[in-house]
Every structure is written in C-alpha cells, then in structure tokens.
Amino acid sequence: MPHRFLLLFALVYTSVSLPAHGQASQQGAAGAVRGRIVDAVTGRAVPMATVQIIRNQRVHGTVEADAAGEFLFDRVPEGVYSVEVEEQGYLKAVQADVRVVLRRATAVEFALVRGGDVVVLDKVVVSARSTAGDPRATPNTVLLEREEIRRNPGSAGDVFRALDVLPGVVSTGEFSSFTVRGNGPRDNLILIDGIPFDKVAHFDESFGEQEAVDGGGRYSIFAPNIIGSAKFSPGGWRAAEGGKNGSLLELEIAEGNPVSSTAGARVDIIGIEADYDGPSYVADNTSVLLSARRFDFSRLFDAIDEKDIGTQRLTDVIVKSVTELNDDHRLELLAISAKEDSRRTVENALASENFEDVGLEDSRQDSTLLGVTWRWSPGDAAQLRNTFYYRKSDMTGTEGEAYPDLAGPDPTPATTPVREDILRVKERETEIGWRSDFSTILGANGIFSTGVRVARVDLDFDRRLSGDWTRYVYRQSDPRPDPTQQYIVLTPEEYDSRLKASETQMAAYADYAWTRGDFTWTPGVRYERDGFSGKSNVAPRLLVSWQHDAATRVWTGGGVYYQAPRYLDIAADPSNLDLKSERSTQLVLGYSRHLSQDLRFSAEGYYQKLDDLIVFDDQTTNTATNRGEGSATGVDLMLAKRMSRSWSASATYSYSRARRDDRLGEGEYASDWDRPHAFGIVGAWQPSDRWTFSAKWKYASGRPTDAFIVHSDVLGGAGPVRYSKELTRTNAERLPAYHSLSLRADYQRRFGPLSLVAYLDILNVYGRENANGYEWDERRGVNIIEGLDEPLPTIGLRFEYSWTPGE
C-alpha cells in the first residue's frame, strides 16, 4: 500500500490553476520591494541602515531605512534579486531569491543580529532571519527560507521532506517525517509560530499503536509555500524549549503581504485549493494569509486503478493575520483546522494484490490550533512576547479484518467472511496554554532571557477489543499460555485501556548570554513539572563560544533534556501514569568557518547519554517502565554555499551510532533509527529569471530490522493455514542501503496581469527499490517490502494574479 500511496501523492499535484481574482488591469506594470528592519532581540526598528538590491552581481539600487526601519525600492523590473542590509554594530544580512512580480510589492523583513566587531561585519554574512551570531542560539542552528523549502528537489514543497538537506537529518521522502542523530520522529519538538503542535501530517495510520507507520504521516497539512521559514536545531538548544530530546524545529507560517495582494485557486480531479496573501481590507495595518483545500482521492484511485487503497479525504484551512498596532505593539492571530477521514472496506481488501492487505478501517481525525500572540517592545532594549493558544486533537476509528482465503477460489464481498470493528479507538487531547518570553539587553554585551509555560491538558482515551484477536508477529518474550504456542492472542481483559484525566503542565526558564573578549558564555536553566506523574525536573544548559577571528567560530556546551511520556503511552495502561520523563544528557563540540561571504564549512561532534527510557514489557498488556538506557555518538559535517551568482549548493555527511538497551535480558542493540552513514548533496541553478533547476542525491545506511524465524501452520488444523514470524533478536539485521536521486525544474512567466508558476519534481529518478521496513503476510508466510520503489513525479501548475491597492 505505501508505494501506491506515493503514486497518489504524485498525481495529487498534477493540476491546472484558475485565477481567483478576475479584475485584471494593465496599469502599474512595475513591481516593488518593501521591507522592514528590526533588532533580533528587542524587535525594535533599526533606522538608517543601508539597503542594497542586487541582480546578477550588479547593484540595482541603494536606499537608507527611515526612522521606522522601513525601506522601499519602487518600480523594480521583474526578476530575481538579492537584498542586503548593513548597519554599524550588526552582522550584515542577506535575503536571496527575492522575486519581483508585476503589480506586487514584495515584502521582506530583516531581524538583525548584533555583532560587536566591525571586522566581523565585513567578513560574516547571515540570512535575513538567521541565528548565526546570536549568542543565545546554538551555532548548529540552521534556517531554511521559504524559497529554499519550495525548490528543494523531491519534496514537492513539503517542509518535512525538505529537511534532509541538513546535517544529521534523514528523510526518505516516503513519509512526511524525519529522524535526527538516531532519534525517531516522535523525539522531535515541533513548534508552529512558537506553539507546540505535533499533528502536522495526515494519514499516520497509528490506530492507538505506540508508534505510527514511520513516526509521521503521508501528507503534510501545510500546502506548498505556507511555511515562511524553518529554524532547525539538531540538539543542544537553549533552555527556552524542552519536552523532547531529539531536535527542535521551529516553523513560522508565512505572513501576508501588507501592501500587495495575490490570489489563486487550483482545481483538479481530487478537489480544489485556494489561497490569498495580502492586506485584510478590514483593519488598518493588517495582513492576512489564507490557505484552504478540500481533497477527495476516490476518483483518483479509480482513475489510476488503485482501488485497494480505499477512500481518503482531507480538509485543511490555515489563516494567519498580523496587525502592527503601533511601534511598540504587534498582534498575530493563527488558526489551523486539519480534518481527515479514511475508510477501507472488504471491496478494497479484495482488490489488494495477493490479498496482502486485508485490513478494514473507518477513522476520522480532526485537529485544531488557535493562537494569539502579542509582542510588546517596552523601551528600547527589551521585548515581551505572550502567546495564548488552544489545541485540540480528536481521533475516532475502528479496525477490522477480512478473510478472502476462506471464501473459495473467487471471493466476492458477499462471500468473504469479515470481522468488523475488532478494535475501537478514541483519542482526544485538548490543551489550553500560555507561553511568555521576555528578553532584554543587559550591559554592553549581555542578553537576559526568561519565560514561563503553563498548559492545562485534558485527555480522553479509550481503546477496546470486541473479542480475542490473534496476531502472527511476536517476540520470544511475549507471554503465551502455552510456551509452544507460535502466535499471540490479544484479549480484551489485558489489552483494553481507558484514561480520562486533566492535569497542568508547567515550565520556566532563564538564560544569560554575555561576551567578554573573544568568548561568549550562555548559561541557562529550565524547570519542568509534569502534572500527570507529579514529578519535577531541573535541566541546566551551557554554551561557550569562541570567535577566533572574523570568520572562525568554535563552540562547546551541553545540557540535560527531559522528554515527557507520550499521552498514548500513558493511556496504554493505568499503571503507566507513574511513568517519568526520559532524560538525555548532551555534549557538543563544533567548529565553523566562513570560507567566503557565501560559503561556510561547519563540523560538530556530539555525545548523548539516554536514561529512563520508556520500555514496553510485551505486546499483550502494554505496561511500561523507565528501565531503558542508550547513547548516541557521531559527527555532522556541512559545506554550504548560499544562493549567489545564480547558484547555491550544499553537501553534508553524518556519522552516527545510536544504541539502546531495554534491560529485558537481550542486551544492547542498534536504535530503530540508527543509520551509521548519511550523505547528501543538493544544488540549485537559476540561469534566468524564468527558470530554476535543482538536483539532490542522498545516501543513508539501511535501517536496522529484527532477526526472525518463520513457523508454518501454527494453528495446527484448528483453523486456516497461517504462518507466524517470531522475532528472535532486536535490530540484529539491517535493510539495504537507501539512495535516491531527485530532480526539479521551476518555471515562472507572466501573461498580461497573470503570472504562470509551474514545476516538475521527480523523486527517486532511477527507481531504486528502497526498503523502509517489512509487513508480514501470515497467509503466505512472506515479508512484504515497504518503501519507495519507483520514480515519483509531481507536477504543479498555477496562475497567480497580483494587485496593489491604489495602482
């Protein structure tokens, strides 16, 4: 089923767009670039900065920002530009890939990072919103801008598939997920505009299991171009965030253009997608970004003759507004609604090749996020940010099974025996939270930050079996009434679970970054209290950075990180309420050097010691303890050239060894996500304003997989012929290595008032069979390879119409 779903994902984007606004005027044929420059710490305007707009290595214009930090380049010919900002006391900032379009005032914003040395300003260049040089951020933090995400080959605009260009990250493209340094997708902390939200993908097929198919879903809830930037830290991040051990991904939803409007819609066989980006026309100084789509894949499944997949529908609506109340106050509103339903009947099971997938399903998931953020800049040296949010996830579903092998040589839906609603699952999470952050300049070279997080969490989980359920994949240690029984049976008495609880989660942090000479010290501490377990933790953090010269930086540091138990883990059994947070002690040592203004090399070694890992004793009762331990060791290398002279490129290599020990008598084994070697190279070339070509090749060691033995006719005449798979050693073997080539071509052209935007994106060009795991077929006694095994082309075609009020 997964490889067929990839074909679906390819054809979803084969579409023709229709303009959503039809009042086209031929007036105002030139475009413009408007921008605002603020201090990265205080949010205050940076006046009098020098701004240049550059095209093909030639300065097209130079202006000076006004007292409000704003600037304007008017009547700019269409094309792709680079905007550069310089100001005394700050690092030079660049935003590449600024596309100027007819009748649109392209909006850019710069958050300048303070730099204490004029020499540094001449040598080091950071992106418009980069964390490079920010003493509070780890130097391994990488920022991907909107255009970098959009043109990433093989991702089709999905930010989670685009992260594989970063060191330490592996994403195979089959799922909208990623792994980091031997940790799984569930170990990644994901923030949407600063709000924790992990329901970021559709169709994860978890059904109450402790791990989804790959820790992520098939289809991101974010349409292409919705994400404005992605800030990623593979480990060692500051005390402001916690709750996860693997990595920190901060996604910023793109802001609407405050002065120009763009609207469009796309209609195809699966549904409709519409978007708007521009002023609100309701409130002054307010911009709006709106994205809405409704997809029904049924007609597509029929068209491509993949009727075994079933019926799957989704509806996504994302709205963000930003209001500049005055120079001191800014208000942001965010609303996300992501709905999905999936249904698989006996007709779909009979359409499965060799009856490989006989599962029946009927599930619905609704995810909602509402957030209000108020930014206040009191005085000239401080900023206060308060965010109030409401998050809800509601999933209900049933799972059953069909038995076509019991219906004779030519089974039909009417003759095929079925067991419907074997498993019923209800998972409801509601969270109301408040997050507050305050930062201020202390002294000539110090930044003090502090904040609190408070959330009220309501859980309502219910998992029930309608009767005994025989499963044919089991571990030697799984309890069985008869030791010679070569399968396990899930019973309602042991498997059923119900949890209805409400608790308050709290955290507070403080850190202080100051520079003395060539060294910057950033100690911090974080306090966390888990209301469900009643336990509290204190997590110290420290980062020390040495600026050897204008272009060279060396850093070291570490800290303690706590990962709270997943709510599904808590709900699996009443005794799991006593689970405490998993602990990770991390150490890093890194080096970076700017070889030129647009070329940077970095290397970081790391060690992670893991304690109190949650371990499930068996598959029948789902009781868990904190007996596990582990470690991860490795090094990440990156050579990156930002977009300049019409091309960009980066190459990464990561070596990692991740180990786990459940302390159940088996000893140490490779982590589920252990990939010792990972290499990637990606490049983009813009030969003209109309065309962009990009390519990416990736390699990664194969994932570990369990050793096993096969037993035949395990029912012994008491039922149909069934084969079982007994897992003998955890992750003792390894799947074949993963590698794939992805190519992409983007084309943009104007026809009168309309702009044509089109792309062709091909993942796994040479059709490598990349196994990501096995699914057991108990009817034939064979493993079914799951993974990407064919080329995946995606095509996008849309028209955009832009207009500027008053023109």
Side-chain angles (χ1 to χ4, degrees):
M1 181 175 176
H3 73 278
R4 289 189 289 273
F5 201 105
L6 286 173
L7 183 56
L8 154 70
F9 184 76
L11 294 178
V12 162
Y13 280 91
T14 304
S15 58
V16 177
S17 302
L18 302 176
H21 191 283
Q23 299 177 355
S25 171
Q26 299 301 320
Q27 302 299 316
V33 176
R34 294 177 180 267
R36 184 168 180 260
I37 307 168
V38 299
D39 186 289
V41 176
T42 68
R44 281 284 185 181
V46 178
M48 314 309 290
T50 300
V51 187
Q52 290 186 327
I53 184 168
I54 300 172
R55 183 183 186 188
N56 299 327
Q57 289 76 57
R58 294 183 179 181
V59 177
H60 181 78
T62 302
V63 298
E64 189 175 85
D66 61 18
E70 298 179 351
F71 61 89
L72 169 65
F73 293 98
D74 202 4
R75 304 200 63 79
V76 180
E78 288 186 302
V80 180
Y81 294 81
S82 174
V83 181
E84 301 184 357
V85 175
E86 291 187 84
E87 174 60 8
Q88 183 70 25
Y90 292 92
L91 299 184
K92 180 180 178 181
V94 174
Q95 183 162 331
D97 294 336
V98 177
R99 184 170 293 277
V100 178
V101 179
L102 166 72
R103 301 164 57 85
R104 182 192 305 175
T106 303
V108 295
E109 181 168 325
F110 289 82
L112 297 189
V113 176
R114 294 172 181 251
D117 194 323
V118 176
V119 177
V120 174
L121 301 182
D122 292 336
K123 297 293 184 181
V124 180
V125 180
V126 301
S127 65
R129 289 172 288 187
S130 175
T131 58
D134 186 344
R136 299 172 302 167
T138 53
N140 60 15
T141 300
V142 179
L143 186 81
L144 292 180
E145 295 282 3
R146 194 175 188 177
E147 285 296 310
E148 294 176 275
I149 298 170
R150 180 191 60 79
R151 68 168 179 254
N152 184 272
S155 68
D158 186 340
V159 61
F160 304 107
R161 290 178 168 92
L163 292 175
D164 59 4
V165 299
L166 303 180
V169 179
V170 175
S171 175
T172 63
E174 183 187 3
F175 299 94
S176 184
S177 65
F178 59 98
T179 64
V180 183
R181 293 180 172 178
N183 296 293
R186 298 297 189 188
D187 302 321
N188 301 319
L189 175 61
I190 299 176
L191 303 178
I192 311 297
D193 281 2
I195 303 172
F197 188 65
D198 60 356
K199 307 299 183 182
V200 293
H202 289 290
F203 311 124
D204 66 4
E205 305 172 17
S206 61
F207 268 106
E209 300 293 335
Q210 262 49 59
E211 190 71 37
V213 287
D214 198 25
R218 302 284 183 179
Y219 198 90
S220 171
I221 69 171
F222 303 111
N225 298 325
I226 288 296
I227 300 299
S229 66
K231 185 163 60 175
F232 176 76
S233 301
W237 61 88
R238 55 188 286 251
E241 302 301 341
K244 296 288 187 178
N245 290 337
S247 70
L248 172 63
L249 176 61
E250 299 174 86
L251 299 178
E252 179 186 333
I253 302 297
E255 297 179 6
N257 192 314
V259 294
S260 296
S261 300
T262 301
R266 189 183 72 189
V267 179
D268 60 23
I269 189 174
I270 60 163
I272 186 171
E273 179 178 303
D275 54 76
Y276 170 78
D277 172 4
S280 68
Y281 296 99
V282 175
D284 293 337
N285 301 318
T286 300
S287 65
V288 172
L289 175 75
L290 168 64
S291 172
R293 59 185 180 180
R294 169 67 176 173
F295 291 163
D296 183 343
F297 302 112
S298 302
R299 292 187 297 271
L300 178 61
F301 292 153
D302 291 340
I304 64 177
D305 197 26
E306 296 289 349
K307 299 178 182 180
D308 63 311
I309 299 177
T311 301
Q312 296 183 331
R313 303 181 180 91
L314 65 86
T315 303
D316 294 327
V317 179
I318 300 177
V319 182
K320 180 177 180 179
S321 71
V322 177
T323 302
E324 301 290 346
L325 300 173
N326 53 43
D327 291 342
D328 298 334
H329 299 276
R330 173 185 170 103
L331 188 66
E332 301 176 9
L333 305 178
L334 175 66
I336 297 177
S337 175
K339 301 177 182 292
E340 67 180 63
D341 61 85
S342 180
R343 192 164 184 263
R344 195 167 190 273
T345 65
V346 63
E347 288 85 353
N348 304 124
L350 293 178
S352 175
E353 183 180 0
N354 297 318
F355 306 134
E356 292 174 354
D357 188 351
V358 296
L360 309 178
E361 175 192 353
D362 189 359
S363 66
R364 289 162 295 282
Q365 169 125 19
D366 295 343
S367 298
T368 302
L369 177 64
L370 302 174
V372 179
T373 298
W374 166 48
R375 299 174 188 257
W376 176 36
S377 298
D380 294 329
Q383 181 174 210
L384 175 65
R385 170 175 171 161
N386 283 291
T387 298
F388 303 89
Y389 67 92
Y390 168 83
R391 179 185 66 84
K392 184 178 182 180
S393 175
D394 188 345
M395 192 278 279
T396 59
T398 62
E399 187 174 353
E401 193 170 350
Y403 305 94
D405 58 324
L406 304 182
D410 190 17
T412 67
T415 61
T416 300
V418 298
R419 280 189 66 188
E420 295 182 337
D421 303 346
I422 301 175
L423 173 64
R424 289 183 174 271
V425 174
K426 178 178 71 174
E427 301 172 5
R428 294 177 179 169
E429 304 174 21
T430 303
E431 182 175 335
I432 300 175
W434 168 53
R435 296 166 67 87
S436 182
D437 298 274
F438 175 77
S439 60
T440 185
I441 305 296
L442 286 183
N445 298 302
I447 303 174
F448 174 74
S449 303
T450 187
V452 296
R453 282 91 170 93
V454 180
R456 182 69 176 179
V457 180
D458 296 322
L459 304 180
D460 187 358
F461 285 51
D462 193 355
R463 184 183 63 192
R464 299 180 185 274
L465 289 175
S466 62
D468 292 354
W469 199 10
T470 303
R471 313 305 289 163
Y472 296 96
V473 178
Y474 67 99
R475 296 191 177 277
Q476 289 180 331
S477 57
D478 286 340
R480 304 180 296 282
D482 181 355
T484 64
Q485 178 178 298
Q486 295 170 332
Y487 55 88
I488 60 175
V489 178
L490 306 182
T491 65
E493 294 77 18
E494 293 185 327
Y495 193 79
D496 286 0
S497 180
R498 176 71 192 272
L499 173 66
K500 192 175 180 64
S502 301
E503 295 293 345
T504 300
Q505 312 283 62
M506 295 185 295
Y509 77 93
D511 59 31
Y512 180 60
W514 80 94
T515 301
R516 177 170 296 179
D518 296 332
F519 288 87
T520 299
W521 303 77
T522 311
V525 64
R526 181 180 177 88
Y527 166 81
E528 300 174 352
R529 177 170 177 78
D530 180 5
F532 290 99
S533 66
K535 298 178 175 62
S536 299
N537 298 305
V538 177
R541 315 272 172 87
L542 175 64
L543 175 68
V544 180
S545 178
W546 174 41
Q547 191 75 50
H548 173 65
D549 56 34
T552 307
R553 193 176 185 186
V554 179
W555 65 89
T556 186
V560 178
Y561 297 78
Y562 288 94
Q563 179 163 305
R566 291 177 57 213
Y567 295 143
L568 278 177
D569 296 345
I570 297 174
D573 189 89
S575 65
N576 293 351
L577 278 170
D578 294 330
L579 290 173
K580 58 184 178 180
S581 296
E582 299 176 325
R583 182 178 63 191
S584 172
T585 304
Q586 302 185 14
L587 299 173
V588 298
L589 175 63
Y591 167 87
S592 72
R593 180 170 179 82
H594 287 265
L595 305 179
S596 65
Q597 285 198 352
D598 60 356
L599 183 63
R600 176 175 177 261
F601 170 78
S602 68
E604 183 174 78
Y606 61 88
Y607 171 75
Q608 301 176 0
K609 185 178 186 302
L610 308 175
D611 299 293
D612 299 327
L613 298 182
I614 294 174
V615 176
F616 283 84
D617 296 337
D618 58 73
Q619 298 181 79
T620 59
T621 61
N622 284 316
T623 58
T625 61
N626 286 102
R627 70 177 67 190
E629 60 185 22
S631 65
T633 306
V635 61
D636 296 329
L637 307 176
M638 179 174 69
L639 180 65
K641 178 190 179 299
R642 65 173 176 83
M643 179 60 72
S644 65
R645 300 178 180 87
S646 301
W647 68 283
S648 66
S650 68
T652 61
Y653 169 74
S654 296
Y655 171 79
S656 176
R657 298 296 287 177
R659 292 292 181 266
R660 300 291 186 269
D661 187 350
D662 295 338
R663 302 184 68 184
L664 295 174
E666 187 176 355
E668 189 176 79
Y669 61 88
S671 160
D672 290 344
W673 310 101
D674 175 60
R675 295 181 183 266
H677 302 281
F679 172 80
I681 183 168
V682 60
W685 175 47
Q686 294 180 337
S688 69
D689 294 334
R690 292 182 179 179
W691 287 98
T692 301
F693 300 97
S694 54
K696 177 173 60 181
W697 187 79
K698 300 185 302 180
Y699 170 91
S701 302
R703 279 186 58 185
T705 187
D706 297 330
F708 65 93
I709 56 177
V710 176
H711 302 288
S712 60
D713 196 15
V714 296
L715 298 181
V721 175
R722 293 291 184 264
Y723 298 82
S724 67
K725 182 167 79 169
E726 180 181 356
L727 307 178
T728 57
R729 293 178 58 200
T730 303
N731 292 344
E733 300 177 0
R734 195 172 288 274
L735 296 170
Y738 168 91
H739 57 83
S740 71
L741 172 67
S742 299
L743 300 174
R744 181 182 176 107
D746 290 81
Y747 178 78
Q748 299 197 32
R749 186 174 180 180
R750 179 170 59 84
F751 298 91
L754 301 179
S755 293
L756 170 68
V757 181
Y759 69 82
L760 171 64
D761 194 356
I762 307 175
L763 173 63
N764 197 26
V765 170
Y766 49 77
R768 161 77 174 180
E769 185 178 42
N770 285 300
N772 199 49
Y774 293 124
E775 188 72 23
W776 180 246
D777 183 352
E778 63 266 19
R779 289 160 181 78
R780 295 184 295 151
V782 296
N783 274 325
I784 307 301
I785 294 178
E786 302 274 326
L788 182 65
D789 59 359
E790 56 191 13
L792 173 60
T794 65
I795 303 172
L797 177 64
R798 58 178 279 130
F799 289 97
E800 292 182 346
Y801 173 58
S802 300
W803 70 97
T804 299
E807 294 187 359

